[in-house]
Short mmCIF file of all heavy atoms in Angstrom, two decimals:
data_model
loop_
_atom_site.label_atom_id
_atom_site.label_comp_id
_atom_site.label_asym_id
_atom_site.label_seq_id
_atom_site.Cartn_x
_atom_site.Cartn_y
_atom_site.Cartn_z
N ALA L 89 -7.48 -10.36 -17.70
CA ALA L 89 -6.46 -11.40 -17.55
C ALA L 89 -6.83 -12.40 -16.45
O ALA L 89 -6.58 -13.67 -16.63
CB ALA L 89 -5.16 -10.70 -17.09
N ALA L 90 -7.54 -11.99 -15.49
CA ALA L 90 -7.92 -12.93 -14.42
C ALA L 90 -8.83 -14.04 -15.01
O ALA L 90 -8.75 -15.22 -14.47
CB ALA L 90 -8.69 -12.11 -13.26
N TYR L 91 -9.64 -13.76 -16.02
CA TYR L 91 -10.48 -14.74 -16.60
C TYR L 91 -9.59 -15.86 -17.22
O TYR L 91 -9.88 -17.00 -17.03
CB TYR L 91 -11.39 -14.11 -17.67
CG TYR L 91 -12.36 -15.18 -18.35
CD1 TYR L 91 -13.54 -15.38 -17.70
CD2 TYR L 91 -12.07 -15.89 -19.39
CE1 TYR L 91 -14.49 -16.31 -18.18
CE2 TYR L 91 -12.83 -16.89 -19.91
CZ TYR L 91 -14.11 -17.02 -19.29
OH TYR L 91 -14.98 -17.96 -19.77
N GLY L 92 -8.51 -15.44 -17.93
CA GLY L 92 -7.66 -16.42 -18.38
C GLY L 92 -7.06 -17.26 -17.37
O GLY L 92 -6.90 -18.54 -17.52
N PHE L 93 -6.69 -16.77 -16.25
CA PHE L 93 -6.06 -17.54 -15.15
C PHE L 93 -7.05 -18.32 -14.35
O PHE L 93 -6.71 -19.37 -13.88
CB PHE L 93 -5.34 -16.46 -14.23
CG PHE L 93 -4.07 -15.95 -14.66
CD1 PHE L 93 -3.79 -14.56 -14.78
CD2 PHE L 93 -3.06 -16.87 -15.17
CE1 PHE L 93 -2.59 -14.16 -15.28
CE2 PHE L 93 -1.89 -16.36 -15.68
CZ PHE L 93 -1.57 -15.04 -15.78
N ALA L 94 -8.38 -17.83 -14.18
CA ALA L 94 -9.14 -18.53 -13.37
C ALA L 94 -10.09 -19.46 -14.05
O ALA L 94 -10.48 -20.57 -13.49
CB ALA L 94 -10.01 -17.56 -12.53
N LYS L 95 -10.47 -19.17 -15.25
CA LYS L 95 -11.56 -19.98 -15.95
C LYS L 95 -11.09 -20.75 -17.13
O LYS L 95 -11.88 -21.40 -17.87
CB LYS L 95 -12.68 -18.98 -16.31
CG LYS L 95 -13.41 -18.38 -15.22
CD LYS L 95 -14.26 -19.38 -14.50
CE LYS L 95 -14.73 -18.83 -13.16
NZ LYS L 95 -15.30 -19.83 -12.32
N MET L 96 -9.81 -20.63 -17.52
CA MET L 96 -9.38 -21.34 -18.76
C MET L 96 -8.14 -22.32 -18.40
O MET L 96 -7.43 -21.97 -17.46
CB MET L 96 -9.00 -20.39 -19.81
CG MET L 96 -10.21 -19.63 -20.35
SD MET L 96 -9.88 -18.76 -21.88
CE MET L 96 -9.75 -20.18 -22.96
N ARG L 97 -8.00 -23.31 -19.14
CA ARG L 97 -6.79 -24.18 -18.95
C ARG L 97 -6.06 -24.24 -20.20
O ARG L 97 -6.60 -24.52 -21.27
CB ARG L 97 -7.29 -25.61 -18.68
CG ARG L 97 -7.29 -26.06 -17.27
CD ARG L 97 -7.97 -27.42 -17.14
NE ARG L 97 -9.04 -27.26 -16.18
CZ ARG L 97 -8.89 -27.04 -14.90
NH1 ARG L 97 -7.59 -27.10 -14.40
NH2 ARG L 97 -9.86 -26.93 -14.04
N PHE L 98 -4.74 -23.92 -20.11
CA PHE L 98 -3.93 -23.99 -21.36
C PHE L 98 -2.42 -24.01 -20.83
O PHE L 98 -2.16 -23.66 -19.79
CB PHE L 98 -4.19 -22.77 -22.27
CG PHE L 98 -3.99 -21.43 -21.57
CD1 PHE L 98 -2.74 -20.87 -21.53
CD2 PHE L 98 -4.97 -20.86 -20.83
CE1 PHE L 98 -2.48 -19.62 -20.94
CE2 PHE L 98 -4.80 -19.55 -20.26
CZ PHE L 98 -3.56 -18.94 -20.31
N PRO L 99 -1.59 -24.59 -21.69
CA PRO L 99 -0.21 -24.72 -21.35
C PRO L 99 0.38 -23.39 -21.06
O PRO L 99 0.16 -22.42 -21.77
CB PRO L 99 0.51 -25.39 -22.59
CG PRO L 99 -0.58 -25.55 -23.55
CD PRO L 99 -1.94 -25.11 -23.09
N GLY L 100 1.24 -23.28 -20.05
CA GLY L 100 1.97 -22.08 -19.72
C GLY L 100 1.18 -21.20 -18.70
O GLY L 100 1.76 -20.20 -18.27
N ARG L 101 -0.06 -21.48 -18.44
CA ARG L 101 -0.88 -20.64 -17.58
C ARG L 101 -0.30 -20.54 -16.20
O ARG L 101 -0.04 -19.44 -15.68
CB ARG L 101 -2.27 -21.22 -17.48
CG ARG L 101 -3.21 -20.29 -16.74
CD ARG L 101 -4.50 -20.93 -16.28
NE ARG L 101 -4.26 -22.02 -15.31
CZ ARG L 101 -5.26 -22.64 -14.66
NH1 ARG L 101 -6.53 -22.46 -14.98
NH2 ARG L 101 -5.06 -23.57 -13.79
N ASP L 102 0.02 -21.67 -15.55
CA ASP L 102 0.52 -21.64 -14.20
C ASP L 102 1.85 -21.03 -14.04
O ASP L 102 2.10 -20.25 -13.15
CB ASP L 102 0.55 -23.08 -13.65
CG ASP L 102 -0.84 -23.60 -13.47
OD1 ASP L 102 -1.81 -22.76 -13.42
OD2 ASP L 102 -1.03 -24.90 -13.49
N ALA L 103 2.77 -21.10 -15.12
CA ALA L 103 4.03 -20.58 -15.03
C ALA L 103 3.92 -19.01 -15.06
O ALA L 103 4.61 -18.28 -14.39
CB ALA L 103 4.95 -20.97 -16.17
N LEU L 104 2.96 -18.58 -15.92
CA LEU L 104 2.77 -17.08 -16.02
C LEU L 104 2.25 -16.59 -14.76
O LEU L 104 2.66 -15.53 -14.30
CB LEU L 104 1.66 -16.87 -17.13
CG LEU L 104 2.06 -16.65 -18.50
CD1 LEU L 104 0.90 -16.34 -19.40
CD2 LEU L 104 2.97 -15.48 -18.44
N PHE L 105 1.24 -17.31 -14.13
CA PHE L 105 0.74 -16.90 -12.83
C PHE L 105 1.77 -16.76 -11.84
O PHE L 105 1.86 -15.78 -11.00
CB PHE L 105 -0.46 -17.74 -12.47
CG PHE L 105 -1.26 -17.10 -11.32
CD1 PHE L 105 -1.92 -15.88 -11.55
CD2 PHE L 105 -1.26 -17.62 -10.06
CE1 PHE L 105 -2.58 -15.31 -10.52
CE2 PHE L 105 -1.93 -17.05 -9.01
CZ PHE L 105 -2.69 -15.87 -9.19
N PHE L 106 2.66 -17.67 -11.86
CA PHE L 106 3.76 -17.72 -10.91
C PHE L 106 4.66 -16.41 -11.07
O PHE L 106 5.02 -15.83 -10.01
CB PHE L 106 4.64 -18.98 -11.05
CG PHE L 106 5.72 -18.98 -10.02
CD1 PHE L 106 5.58 -19.33 -8.68
CD2 PHE L 106 7.04 -18.64 -10.47
CE1 PHE L 106 6.55 -19.40 -7.85
CE2 PHE L 106 8.16 -18.70 -9.56
CZ PHE L 106 7.84 -18.99 -8.21
N ALA L 107 4.82 -16.01 -12.32
CA ALA L 107 5.68 -14.79 -12.54
C ALA L 107 4.99 -13.59 -11.93
O ALA L 107 5.67 -12.73 -11.25
CB ALA L 107 5.86 -14.57 -14.08
N TYR L 108 3.63 -13.55 -11.99
CA TYR L 108 2.92 -12.44 -11.36
C TYR L 108 3.13 -12.44 -9.91
O TYR L 108 3.40 -11.50 -9.22
CB TYR L 108 1.40 -12.57 -11.67
CG TYR L 108 0.93 -11.92 -12.96
CD1 TYR L 108 0.99 -12.70 -14.19
CD2 TYR L 108 0.59 -10.59 -12.99
CE1 TYR L 108 0.58 -12.05 -15.32
CE2 TYR L 108 0.11 -10.10 -14.16
CZ TYR L 108 0.12 -10.72 -15.33
OH TYR L 108 -0.31 -10.15 -16.47
N ILE L 109 2.82 -13.68 -9.27
CA ILE L 109 2.94 -13.76 -7.78
C ILE L 109 4.35 -13.41 -7.29
O ILE L 109 4.49 -12.70 -6.29
CB ILE L 109 2.51 -15.13 -7.36
CG1 ILE L 109 1.09 -15.41 -7.68
CG2 ILE L 109 2.73 -15.39 -5.89
CD1 ILE L 109 0.11 -14.49 -7.00
N ALA L 110 5.34 -13.93 -8.17
CA ALA L 110 6.73 -13.70 -7.63
C ALA L 110 7.06 -12.24 -7.59
O ALA L 110 7.68 -11.74 -6.67
CB ALA L 110 7.69 -14.41 -8.60
N THR L 111 6.51 -11.38 -8.56
CA THR L 111 6.90 -9.99 -8.54
C THR L 111 6.11 -9.27 -7.50
O THR L 111 6.56 -8.09 -7.11
CB THR L 111 6.63 -9.38 -9.95
OG1 THR L 111 5.36 -9.62 -10.27
CG2 THR L 111 7.63 -9.90 -10.92
N ILE L 112 4.97 -9.76 -6.99
CA ILE L 112 4.31 -9.02 -5.94
C ILE L 112 5.20 -8.95 -4.77
O ILE L 112 5.23 -8.02 -4.01
CB ILE L 112 2.96 -9.73 -5.58
CG1 ILE L 112 2.00 -9.54 -6.74
CG2 ILE L 112 2.42 -9.18 -4.33
CD1 ILE L 112 0.57 -10.05 -6.52
N ALA L 113 6.02 -10.11 -4.55
CA ALA L 113 6.90 -10.18 -3.37
C ALA L 113 8.14 -9.32 -3.56
O ALA L 113 8.81 -9.03 -2.57
CB ALA L 113 7.26 -11.58 -3.17
N VAL L 114 8.48 -8.85 -4.80
CA VAL L 114 9.69 -8.07 -5.02
C VAL L 114 9.31 -6.58 -4.64
O VAL L 114 8.42 -6.14 -5.22
CB VAL L 114 10.19 -8.16 -6.42
CG1 VAL L 114 11.48 -7.34 -6.55
CG2 VAL L 114 10.48 -9.64 -6.83
N PRO L 115 10.12 -5.97 -3.73
CA PRO L 115 9.86 -4.64 -3.44
C PRO L 115 10.03 -3.75 -4.70
O PRO L 115 11.01 -3.97 -5.53
CB PRO L 115 10.90 -4.26 -2.43
CG PRO L 115 11.49 -5.54 -2.00
CD PRO L 115 11.25 -6.48 -3.02
#
Side-chain angles (χ1 to χ4, degrees):
Chain L
Y91 184 87
F93 283 125
K95 293 288 169 195
M96 296 195 66
R97 256 171 240 287
F98 57 90
R101 185 193 71 169
D102 294 337
L104 268 183
F105 191 65
F106 180 76
Y108 273 89
I109 295 299
T111 55
I112 289 185
V114 181

